[in-house]
Amino acid sequence: MLGLGVDRLQADINRLLTSLFHQGVLDEQFLQLQQLQDETSPTFVYDVINIYFDESEKLLRSLRLLLMDREFSDYKKIGLHLNQLVGSSSSIGARRVRNVCVAFRSASELNNRPGCLRGLEVVEHEYHYLKNMMHELFQLEQQRLLAAGVRYPM
Amino acid sequence: MFNPFTTHHSSDMNWALNNPNPEGKEPRTTTQSSDFYHLSAKDSPQKSRKIDFWRSGLMGFAKMQHSVAVKMNNGNNNDQVGNKKGSTFIQEHRALLPKGLILWTIIVGFISRGIYQWMDDTSKVRREEVLVSMCDQRARMLQDQFSVSVNHVHALAILVSTFHYHKNPSAIDQGTFADYTARTAFERPLLSGVAYAEKVVNAEREMFESQHNWVIKTMDTGEPSPVRDEYAPVIFSQDSVSYLESLDMMSGEEDRENILRARETGKAVLTSPFRLLASHHLGVVLTFPVYKASLPRNPTVQERIAATAGYLGGAFDVESLVENLLGQLAGNQAIVVHVYDITNASDPLVMYGNQDEEGDTSLYHESKLDFGDPFRKHKMICRYLQKAPIPLNVLTTVPLFFAIGFLVGYILYGAAVHIVKVEDDFHEMQELKVRAEAADVAKSQFLATVSHEIRTPMNGILGMLAMLLDTELSSTQRDYAQTAQVCGKALIALINEVLDRAKIEAGKLELESVPFDIRSILDDVLSLFSEESRNKGIELAVFVSDKVPEIVKGDSGRFRQIIINLVGNSVKFTEKGHIFVKVHLAEQSKDGAESKPALNGGVASEDITAASKPSSYNTLSGYEAADGRNSWDSFKHLVSSEELLTSSEFDASSNVRLMVSIEDTGIGIPLTAQGRVFMPFMQADSSTSRTYGGTGIGLSISKCLVELMRGQISFVSRPRVGSTFWFTAVFERCDKFSLKKPTVENLPSSFRGMRAIVVDAKPVRAAVTRYHMKRLGISVDVMTSLRTAVSTASGRNGSPLPSGTTKLDMILVEKDSWISTEDIDAEIRQMNSRTNGNVHRKTPKLALFATNITNSEFDRAKSAGFADTVIMKPLRASMIGACLQQVLELRKARQQHPEGSSPATLKSLLTGKKILVVDDNMVNRRVAAGALKKFGAEVVCAESGQVALGLLQIPHSFDACFMDIQMPQMDGFEATRQIRMMEKEAKEKTKLEWHLPILAMTADVIHATYEECLKSGMDGYVSKPFEEENLYKSVAKSFKANPISDSSCSQS
């Protein structure tokens, strides 16, 4: 039934987005981001989000390494990493990641190691949740594009 | 120090990290709040009230709640420390105050006692002195009197010796003696009587008895005297003592001793006191010797005894003597006088004085008395009759002193207590003040945070609603969604207002300065309200004086906000009549229109108009207006002065002060409410908000905004007549061409040079119409009557137009004028047909202005020949233009901007610009680049400040740079400073000025304040994530502020 599900797929996408908004996973910045996408850069959102995931993955790995170290004390570096994460998260509108990152950051500012560890877990949890959702979204998007691309000769 | 912040955050963290399911908003709020309550209850001394306040207000906003509350707690703690430091000496020793008072009272008591003692002593001394002097005086006088009497007795003795013994025969007999003594008794007042006794020796007794014819008798019995050696029988006696005759004076023991002593000493001798026979007074007997022959110069005792012839005696009535004496002296009642014979010192004999009469025994004085008898000693003792009374001055002075002392003490005590109380109050007030300030800060924070917190989900809601509306919806669903969207927008608007208010209060609102066209803004505002005013049948008109510059520089958004607010209010409260917005220079109103002083408050003006109430007013709609300034009388000054002074002359000053007045004929503002119109959340009365809705915050914001624009806002209002609000605002003059094209509303230019007749009986309205026509380039003649206009147009009477030309392109008729002119339709038709027939003359097109028009009227208009068009009010130049275009079938090539709105303008700003984006965050970089690219800019990215510096080596081809502030190694500020340094060096070397607009990008507006950006040489900032409007504003500002970049962009 190629091509016939465009509307349904669009509705699915909207529903998914709505639920993400409801949960506070995303905020209006994501909409702004979507608006930036046009014919000249059809995969803009996808690109940005991918970069975001790449960067964040690196940062999270680095954070985990830092925190796992027993004689660890470089809270400043954690703060820098988290700043990056907060910045990019707010840029793409990943609101919940951003919020938990802020909490994590305040724990790191207080050199609260257990807090940091918990923070890291929560951030990772949120991050993976976001990643899954985004994955789903992009898949839907792709399907929609495919469906929209289908032309039946009249 | 214990930092509540720490715990709060960690507790927040703990929560966030423990809770596996962060979606649960509910548990989050409650956990946090309870945590917070617990803490604050421990920390803060004024917990309960605050908690209630927060609980009621802020249940949903736990996140900001604790940060605010914690700050307040901190503040309080510090403050309490400060309070303790500030306490004074008195306060520290407040417990001693009552003791001090008691001590003081005791001291005063002692002092007054001392004073009493002293005064008492002095008075005692004085009393004693008085007593001494009185006593001495009495003693002396007594002595004197006594000696006088004694002298007389002495004289009597000499008399007796002279006339009884030296004469022979004797010249004195009893009769003579008695007679003489009686007659000289006044000289001896004290002597009850005198008697003379002759010395008779026993040998001579017989002869003596026979000679005198009586026997010598003893004194006590009266019997004939027994035989003795010697006798002293009385031979002469005064009548008062005649009973003494023949009594032997020597028979009494005492008398005998007296006589013996007297004759031995030759002086007057006294007996001890005894009761006198006759008067029973105490008295003494005075005995004086009489010698026979003159004695030798110093006679011996024997010689004296031998020479003794007799004895003269008298009884001294001491009692009456002293009584007399005392009677003569003042103050005798006050003292008690006793006279004693103290010859026998161990047994003083009382001579005078009542022994019972003790008097004041504490004080007495003794005076010696010398009655000339060396053998006898006397003394006088004086006492006060009464005990010394406590003197009046002591009685008054001492209690008075005590009272005053006590009062002084009490006053001091009271003052101290008062000081303590006042200081306590002061500290309490200080604490309250701190609390109030904290509450104020909290309020502002609350407002800001809440507004922000509401806005964020609201954006979500609105976004979702927009998305929802894009989906397929049934019409009902769509209606619901649209309603929800409208409501959401209204809510956002309200929140923005509240935020505005809070911002203004916090002094954080800054006006921007961009060039804008006042006229088009006013037209916009009018178009916003045109629908509503048309529905209500209100005339809505705007007039801008020609002297007002076309383009001014200022905050157009805020200006618009004020006007929208005021006009909105007017529309809301006006049911009939008109709303008239007028803009002119403030100076103009001074010299021209202000012929009548501005009347504030309705009372005075009511009096004036009540006196001569015309049936119709020369205002826009003919309804009465609150302020006479907009009526034709003053309005024509404005219009005529414009005609005289064309806009050629330009003021030298760069600022222009505009005066905007908004007049309506609505319900007005009750006099009682006029005072608080500009107070936030105050509407004229509470019923107003029920009837008309609204929060009442608008006017207060307008006031603040006007004040920010260095102007004033005020109003004149009369209930049931209307209100006129006016405000002034200062704008910068601005070059006409400095305004970027897109924002200018393009008025069609195809009408230039056309002529028209406006038919309107109301001059104000005609002036407004003329103003709009003028903007289109149409010159206008105003005629008050349609008939003359028609006849002029048809050229029937051949009279040329007042302006001299005969060319006429259109006749614009106000509906009122048309309706009121009877039977004109035919003429109009005729005119139409005639001119249609005339090939050489162009038909003047007819158009009708109307605020509202009924169907029947519309049909009539059609039939009358106004088929061309009916132009609905409110008038706007662009709308008139459009309608007239229709009428005149002019085709205008619309030039540009089909999309019109801000992306296009942003696009126009950014198209072709080469922009450098510096951000260490790849995602951010990408997003920023995407956004800028969307607006047509060419974007180059740099991931650090160093890379950016490398790219920006002069010469470079970038038009602008967006710089992230927070970057590792080199932050945005530092990078900017270095860039500016490079530019400076380049200028020195090449004499070419370089200035690259650098805009900061920051996620946190509070963190990096605008000042900080400017300080490091940036031109502005854009908050991340990008928002179009925000971006546009910053970009427009910095590009415009910088002509070099303009020129460079035109080159590129």
Side-chain angles (χ1 to χ4, degrees), chain B residues 666-695:
Chain B
I667 58 168
I669 301 164
L671 295 178
T672 49
Q674 290 193 355
R676 51 190 158 90
V677 159
F678 291 114
M679 278 196 259
F681 303 109
M682 284 279 188
Q683 280 188 332
D685 62 87
S686 53
S687 66
T688 311
S689 54
R690 281 201 293 278
T691 320
Y692 298 97
T695 54

Side-chain angles (χ1 to χ4, degrees), chain B residues 8 23 47 147 330 406 435 531 682 797 810 896 987:
Chain B
H8 271 291
E23 274 115 88
K47 52 272 168 185
S147 57
F406 178 75
R435 265 197 250 168
E531 192 62 35
M682 284 279 188
N797 48 13
M810 56 198 109
Q896 38 181 250
K987 187 187 169 188

Side-chain angles (χ1 to χ4, degrees), chain B residues 82-94:
Chain B
N83 277 355
K84 268 171 204 154
K85 263 184 209 161
S87 66
T88 58
F89 176 80
I90 293 181
Q91 262 200 316
E92 277 169 24
H93 299 91
R94 60 167 74 188

